[in-house]
């Protein structure tokens, strides 16, 4: 059994890890659909989006490893951290649910990521800016694909509409975390690394309103519930996700893959 | 990997059914001449009913094999040991879905819809390659499938690129290119574990190879003298090379690759034959092959159940998509 690596508490590193882990854990969840989707075209599309997200997380984790000063590589960061050191918002780790849940989560996150990548193209960190340039094209496609499905399902049958409303009700509880600021954001903004997450809220609401409006789905009321994944305090689902994901790295010390 | 379809189906009779009219006799003659001249048959061309049926069965079973084949490897996507391997595996399994799509499309040109073909799969009327009824128990199985299963598939499928039915042949050209990548990634994955890994990893690789070797040899179908439909397939240009010839080619190539990897095959009779210039191999347990084809392999029930579950759970999604499309059409018409 390999023990965990320790992550220095530098805010700029945390900023990178929050984004890297968002891509990694969402990619992990989307990968679960491969072979089990409602139609073959969606097996392919969801796997393709998972592949893009894993690719984005690899680039970001490599960068975070370089910036960590510890010489960590992408796989040490992906597989050898303790749960509390994963910095993704809780939304991405929730179980994949039904197809409505997956589609609407993808709308929420692809829209958020698209807005994030747009801004990160101007990062003071040239490597992060380059990663954002490539990832933006992917996020635009993900948003379009997910939005098309949201409209089909929201404005499809009674059942699809009901499933969308149920999914959205759950997902919406976790969206405030995508727009909360803290000292990590302040440091990142001051250094010109990237935007404070709160700055994405307004354009995100505008785009979500447009998509959900076309899907004839109402935006749920905001709850006082607050998830805390990006501070390392995750849902109960995260432990199982990590146990599965980390298993081989942990079980074969000194292994080469 | 899928000439099994031809080997395990009931005999459909020859390619010269009782002809009703002189016109049909003429069409049959023209068809035979084109096959003999090595020409390709297109979907719109006249073809004998048995040729159509045989192809439909083979192509749809090939498509089903790709889709069911996503399951054993997909089983490891969430557990892949590095992000690079996770990305490669996602890309590979996604390719298999793509192969399924091309093949269903090729089969649809013969007059059967994808939904009809899927219904045949889900109700157990259509078969898929038996190799996917074996479980993937360790990470090394993913590498072993790439190296051996995809290696056997390539051996089998390259000749189908010259199949007489053009839509199938065209689909196979693209599929074979991707399969070649699949095989290399599997071999590379095993090579890294064998050359740079730990003793525990090497043991994992050898154990996986032990389990996959014999089922892979069975992928080429029964011996030539027990494969009654092969002659018909050869006559029609659907099958180009015999089961035993392909199997021997595979063994000869695999033995050399195993030496590079540093793994052995679980066959005490495997030895070089100076006279034939080929590797001799031991007796294949065909009772196991027929047992798995018959439905009693280690994972037959799980694989089919997984496909049926995905299809049934997706029904509301497909209905919603159709309902939305109808609404959009009405809106446009208004």
């Amino acid at each position: 059994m390999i023990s965990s690596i320790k992550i220095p508490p530098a805010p700029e590193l945390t900023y990178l890890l929050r984004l890297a882990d968002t891509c990694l854990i969402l990619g992990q969840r989307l990968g679960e659909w491969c072979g089990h989707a409602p139609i073959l075209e969606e097996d392919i599309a969801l796997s393709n989006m998972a592949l893009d997200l894993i690719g984005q997380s690899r680039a970001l984790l490599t960068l975070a490893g370089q910036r960590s000063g510890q010489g960590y590589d992408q796989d040490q960061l992906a597989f050898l951290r303790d749960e509390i050191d994963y910095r993704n918002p809780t939304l991405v780790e929730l179980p994949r649910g039904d197809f409505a849940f997956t589609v609407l989560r993808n709308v929420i996150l692809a829209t958020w990521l698209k807005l994030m990548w747009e801004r990160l193209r101007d990062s003071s960190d040239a490597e992060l800016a380059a990663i954002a340039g490539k990832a933006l094209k992917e996020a635009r496609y993900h948003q379009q694909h997910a939005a098309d499905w949201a409209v089909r399902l929201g404005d499809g049958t009674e059942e699809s509409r009901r499933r969308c409303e149920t999914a959205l009700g759950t997902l919406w509880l976790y969206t405030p975390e995508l727009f909360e600021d803290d000292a990590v954001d302040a440091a990142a903004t001051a250094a010109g690394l990237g935007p404070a997450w709160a700055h994405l809220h307004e354009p995100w609401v505008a785009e979500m309103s447009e998509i959900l409006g076309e899907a004839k789905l109402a935006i749920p009321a905001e709850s006082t519930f607050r998830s805390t994944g990006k501070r390392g305090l995750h849902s109960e689902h995260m432990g199982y996700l990590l146990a599965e994901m980390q298993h081989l790295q942990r079980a074969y010390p000194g292994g080469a893959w | 990997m899928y000439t099994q379809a031809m080997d395990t189906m009931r005999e459909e009779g020859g390619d010269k059914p009782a002809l009703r009219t002189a016109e049909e006799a003429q069409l049959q003659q023209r068809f035979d001449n084109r096959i003999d001249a090595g020409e390709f048959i297109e979907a719109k061309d006249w073809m004998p009913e048995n040729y159509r049926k045989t192809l439909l069965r083979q192509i749809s079973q090939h498509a089903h094999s790709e889709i069911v084949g996503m399951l054993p490897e997909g089983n490891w996507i969430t557990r892949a040991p590095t992000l690079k391997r996770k990305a490669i595996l996602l890309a590979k399994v996604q390719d298999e879905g793509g192969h399924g799509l091309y093949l269903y499309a090729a089969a649809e040109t013969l007059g059967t819809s994808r939904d009809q073909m899927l219904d045949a799969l889900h109700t157990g009327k259509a078969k898929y390659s038996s190799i996917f009824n074996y479980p993937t128990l360790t990470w090394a199985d993913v590498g072993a499938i790439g190296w051996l299963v995809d290696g056997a598939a390539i051996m089998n499928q390259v000749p189908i690129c010259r199949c007489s039915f053009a839509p199938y042949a065209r689909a196979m050209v693209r599929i074979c290119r991707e399969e070649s990548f699949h095989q290399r990634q599997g071999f590379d994955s095993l090579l890294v574990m064998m050359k740079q890994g730990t003793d525990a990893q090497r043991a994992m690789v050898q154990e996986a190879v032990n389990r996959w070797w014999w089922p892979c040899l069975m992928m080429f179908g029964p011996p030539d003298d027990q494969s009654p439909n092969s002659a018909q397939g050869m006559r029609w240009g659907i099958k180009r090379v015999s089961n035993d010839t392909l199997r021997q080619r595979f063994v000869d190539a695999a033995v050399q690759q195993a030496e590079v990897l540093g793994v052995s095959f679980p066959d005490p009779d495997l030895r070089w034959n100076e006279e034939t210039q080929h590797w001799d191999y031991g007796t294949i347990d065909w009772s196991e092959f027929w047992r798995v084809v018959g439905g009693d392999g280690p994972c037959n029930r799980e694989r089919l159940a997984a496909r049926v579950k995905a299809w049934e759970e997706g029904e509301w999604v497909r209905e919603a998509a159709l309902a939305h499309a109808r609404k959009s059409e009405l809106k446009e018409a208004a």
Side-chain angles (χ1 to χ4, degrees), chain A residues 135-219:
Chain A
L136 176 59
K137 293 177 197 138
E138 294 165 347
R140 279 188 187 132
Y141 164 72
H142 298 179
Q143 185 198 32
Q144 182 64 55
H145 186 80
D148 286 349
W149 269 109
V151 172
R152 278 185 207 115
L153 299 181
D155 188 21
T157 60
E158 274 303 308
E159 182 180 5
S160 67
R161 179 183 180 73
R162 179 179 54 74
R163 285 176 181 266
C164 284
E165 285 169 349
T166 305
L168 209 51
T170 304
L171 289 163
W172 217 255
L173 296 171
Y174 296 86
T175 56
E177 194 188 355
L178 300 174
F179 308 104
E180 278 178 348
D181 270 5
D182 58 18
V184 169
D185 296 85
T189 312
L193 186 62
W197 284 25
H199 289 175
L200 304 178
H201 189 242
E202 201 182 306
W204 181 84
V205 168
E207 293 198 19
M208 286 302 295
S209 302
E210 194 178 321
I211 295 166
L212 294 179
E214 203 185 331
K216 300 183 177 165
L217 293 168
I219 292 183

Side-chain angles (χ1 to χ4, degrees), chain B residues 58-279:
Chain B
Q58 182 168 334
I59 302 171
S60 67
Q61 292 188 11
H62 189 162
H64 298 328
S65 300
E66 298 283 357
I67 303 312
V68 176
M70 294 169 79
L71 297 171
E73 288 177 283
N75 182 32
W76 283 90
I77 288 173
T78 56
R79 290 178 289 172
T82 66
L83 294 183
K84 178 182 150 189
R85 292 288 169 206
K86 194 189 287 287
I88 290 172
L89 185 56
L90 269 166
K92 176 183 194 287
V93 182
Q94 183 193 289
D95 280 352
E96 283 157 9
H99 297 173
L101 270 185
Y102 315 147
L103 290 165
Y104 283 126
E108 281 186 315
T109 67
L110 292 163
T112 302
S113 73
R114 200 203 302 181
D115 278 3
Q116 287 172 310
M117 289 183 256
L118 287 176
D119 185 62
L121 172 68
H122 296 157
T123 54
K125 279 181 227 144
K127 297 269 190 237
Y128 53 86
S129 179
S130 286
I131 195 74
F132 301 118
N133 289 319
Y134 289 87
T136 51
L137 302 178
T138 72
W139 169 253
D141 288 25
V142 172
I145 287 178
W147 172 38
L148 294 173
V149 175
D150 293 334
I154 291 168
M155 211 53 97
N156 227 329
Q157 289 173 3
V158 165
I160 306 177
C161 297
R162 294 182 291 115
C163 166
S164 63
F165 186 56
Y168 192 26
R170 283 192 288 268
M172 289 315 300
V173 170
R174 185 159 173 186
I175 288 171
C176 283
R177 280 192 205 127
E178 292 178 347
E179 290 292 352
S180 163
F181 156 75
H182 295 175
Q183 190 198 16
R184 271 180 286 165
Q185 66 80 34
F187 186 80
D188 175 69
S189 161
L190 298 182
L191 190 65
V192 169
M193 286 193 273
M194 292 302 294
K195 299 298 175 192
Q196 299 164 42
T198 62
D199 287 345
Q201 285 184 299
R202 280 185 280 277
M204 174 167 64
V205 172
Q206 183 62 59
E207 190 276 331
V209 170
N210 290 348
R211 274 184 290 114
W212 287 98
W213 175 247
W214 290 109
C216 280
L217 293 193
M218 294 175 200
M219 284 173 67
F220 296 92
D224 294 347
D225 57 7
Q226 293 164 40
S227 182
N229 296 307
S230 285
Q232 181 63 75
M234 293 274 197
R235 170 71 189 83
W236 276 336
I238 294 172
K239 194 180 177 100
R240 294 287 191 188
V241 186
S242 84
N243 294 353
D244 285 331
T245 305
L246 288 169
R247 189 166 15 245
Q248 186 65 60
R249 278 185 202 169
F250 173 74
V251 171
D252 290 348
V255 167
Q256 291 178 29
Q257 291 159 355
E259 274 175 30
V260 176
L261 281 178
V263 297
S264 61
F265 292 126
D267 179 359
D269 297 325
L270 191 65
R271 63 176 61 89
W272 176 249
N273 184 326
E274 197 56 48
E275 198 179 317
T276 61
Q277 292 290 299
H278 289 293
W279 285 86

Side-chain angles (χ1 to χ4, degrees), chain A residues 104-141:
Chain A
L104 289 164
R105 174 162 60 185
N106 283 352
V107 173
I108 289 168
L109 284 158
T111 303
W112 186 90
L113 281 166
K114 188 193 79 169
L115 295 166
M116 177 59 93
W117 296 126
E118 279 172 359
R119 284 152 184 77
L120 287 176
R121 282 181 304 176
D122 300 325
S123 171
S124 59
D125 186 317
E127 285 187 50
L128 180 56
I131 294 167
K134 179 171 183 290
L136 176 59
K137 293 177 197 138
E138 294 165 347
R140 279 188 187 132
Y141 164 72

